[in-house]
Amino acid sequence: MKNAEKGEDELKKNESLEKKINELKQESDEPQKKNENTEKGKDELKKKNESLEKKINELKQERDELQKKNENTEKGKDELKKKNESLEKKINELKQESLEKKINELKQERDELQKKNESQGTDSQHDALRKEKNPGKVESLVKEIEELKQDCDAIRKKFNAVGYVVEREWSSIVKDQAKVTLNPDTANPSLTVSEDGSQVRFKGEGSAQWPSVLGMEGFTSGRHYWEVEVGEKGYWALGVSSIHPNEKIIPEKPEKGYWLLRRWRGNTYEAVSQSPVLLTLQHKLYKVGMILDYKKGELSFYNVYDGSTRYEIHTFNYKFTEVYPIFSPGSHDRGPLKIIREKSNTAL
């Protein structure tokens, strides 16, 4: 009996031990399961990240494609705009040339009629015209010329081309190109002149508002054209002067002896002689062309907009004595004024 009870106790102890062993095994398996779950979570997170990165790359690609399309569209618009502007310019020029040709033909016809009328009698021109079979023809021609001139002006305004110079007229201007060279002996001490005399700039030190330099040679006859690149400069003055070269400064308010085109205060343009005339430019100004017709007593300034487009800015009328080209780069920046010459790459 005692042995039986003893066996039962041992059996219970064994069962208790097995239970504890199982519990311990269970406890030891839990970290492993947790670890497996953690690894699985990491894999899922990794997959999610990869999916998100793929989506981001797809969106970036789509964005880049849209940007390219937009750039191509804008580029196409710009090209189309340039083509339209070019076509309008050509149409404008052709119309003006046609109108001016008609004007010249009508003037010639008028002159021939007047000569014919003059040859038919020794009376006054008025009487001679009355003897013409068609006395109203000359008056009609004059009227038609005026109407055609008005048409030319209307076309210029329509195409924003007031002052536009047609190719034929421009060719007659630039054929009288002069070789203008700066004279360093006449330069204000605050200026630097390039070795070949084609450029001038402000050194950065000096109190004068308009330090200046003259051209090497003066003009007393003939026609002379020269061209200057002003670039983005906010202050400059160009023109001619009859003042003694030792002055080396353009007065703030020039009196006699100066005929200038001047830019100052950033975007203010003035034609300056004894009194300034405020100018409104319709097109940006990078290059200035000047033609001095000594016999006619005219100094004209042009906006040389590009290779095929030029606009008249202003004309001075005066009975000039000896005059010299004059240049001032101002005293607010160190950008140069450059006399345009063929095959010239000289820098200061």
Side-chain angles (χ1 to χ4, degrees), residues 170 225-228 287-291 300-304:
W170 188 247
Y225 174 81
W226 63 103
E227 196 171 294
V228 179
K287 286 193 288 187
V288 180
M290 288 157 276
I291 179 77
S300 297
F301 295 88
Y302 296 88
N303 179 353
V304 186

Side-chain angles (χ1 to χ4, degrees), residues 22-276:
N22 289 330
E23 286 175 356
L24 287 169
K25 279 184 179 179
Q26 234 174 1
E27 286 177 6
S28 66
D29 288 341
E30 281 178 5
Q32 189 174 349
K33 284 181 182 177
K34 284 181 181 177
N35 188 47
E36 286 173 359
N37 290 335
T38 302
E39 292 298 322
K40 188 177 178 181
K42 283 183 180 178
D43 290 339
E44 288 176 356
L45 185 61
K46 185 180 179 183
K47 285 178 182 178
K48 282 183 181 179
N49 285 339
E50 288 174 352
S51 175
L52 286 170
E53 285 178 1
K54 185 180 178 182
K55 186 65 177 175
I56 288 168
N57 289 331
E58 288 173 355
L59 289 170
K60 281 183 178 179
Q61 192 174 358
E62 187 177 347
R63 179 201 63 190
D64 293 342
E65 286 176 6
L66 286 170
Q67 282 179 340
K68 279 184 182 178
K69 283 181 182 178
N70 187 49
E71 286 170 2
N72 290 334
T73 301
E74 292 298 322
K75 188 178 179 183
K77 283 181 181 178
D78 290 341
E79 288 176 357
L80 185 61
K81 185 180 177 183
K82 286 178 182 177
K83 284 181 182 177
N84 285 337
E85 288 176 351
S86 177
L87 284 171
E88 284 184 356
K89 195 189 298 178
K90 286 178 182 177
I91 290 168
N92 182 27
E93 188 167 334
L94 286 170
K95 283 184 178 180
Q96 289 188 80
E97 286 182 351
S98 176
L99 286 168
E100 292 188 6
K101 184 180 179 183
K102 183 67 176 173
I103 288 171
N104 290 331
E105 288 173 356
L106 290 169
K107 282 182 178 178
Q108 191 174 358
E109 188 176 349
R110 179 198 64 187
D111 294 341
E112 287 173 0
L113 279 171
Q114 286 178 338
K115 284 181 183 177
K116 185 178 179 181
N117 287 330
E118 287 169 2
S119 66
Q120 288 178 350
T122 56
D123 296 333
S124 67
Q125 187 177 3
H126 177 71
D127 292 334
L129 286 171
R130 280 157 119 202
K131 292 177 184 178
E132 171 63 36
K133 290 180 182 179
N134 187 1
K137 185 68 179 286
V138 173
E139 287 82 355
S140 175
L141 288 171
V142 171
K143 184 179 178 182
E144 190 169 353
I145 287 169
E146 291 305 316
E147 288 174 351
L148 287 168
K149 283 182 177 178
Q150 288 174 8
D151 288 344
C152 281
D153 291 339
I155 290 171
R156 286 186 169 101
K157 287 178 182 177
K158 183 178 179 180
F159 290 97
N160 196 27
V162 176
Y164 179 80
V165 183
V166 295
E167 188 63 37
R168 184 181 63 257
E169 184 182 348
W170 188 247
S171 297
S172 71
I173 291 172
V174 296
K175 71 179 179 63
D176 294 308
Q177 188 150 13
K179 186 179 179 181
V180 175
T181 302
L182 301 174
N183 183 353
D185 293 337
T186 66
N188 187 283
S190 66
L191 301 180
T192 299
V193 176
S194 63
E195 288 185 8
D196 69 346
S198 68
Q199 299 184 34
V200 60
R201 72 166 76 234
F202 179 58
K203 290 179 181 178
E205 297 178 357
S207 58
Q209 174 86 330
W210 300 102
S212 64
V213 60
L214 297 177
M216 193 74 75
E217 296 180 4
F219 302 130
T220 56
S221 63
R223 279 165 53 93
H224 310 275
Y225 174 81
W226 63 103
E227 196 171 294
V228 179
E229 182 181 319
V230 295
E232 297 281 357
K233 287 178 63 60
Y235 284 74
W236 50 261
L238 300 168
V240 297
S241 167
S242 62
I243 300 299
H244 194 276
N246 287 335
E247 293 207 3
K248 301 182 180 182
I249 292 172
I250 298 173
E252 181 68 28
K253 295 180 179 179
E255 296 182 357
K256 291 183 180 180
Y258 291 96
W259 298 267
L260 308 167
L261 179 67
R262 182 168 72 182
R263 180 182 183 180
W264 64 319
R265 292 177 181 170
N267 208 28
T268 300
Y269 293 91
E270 292 178 333
V272 182
S273 186
Q274 292 186 50
S275 58

Side-chain angles (χ1 to χ4, degrees), residues 1-9:
M1 188 73 176
K2 287 182 180 179
N3 289 333
E5 289 176 356
K6 188 177 180 181
E8 285 176 5
D9 291 339

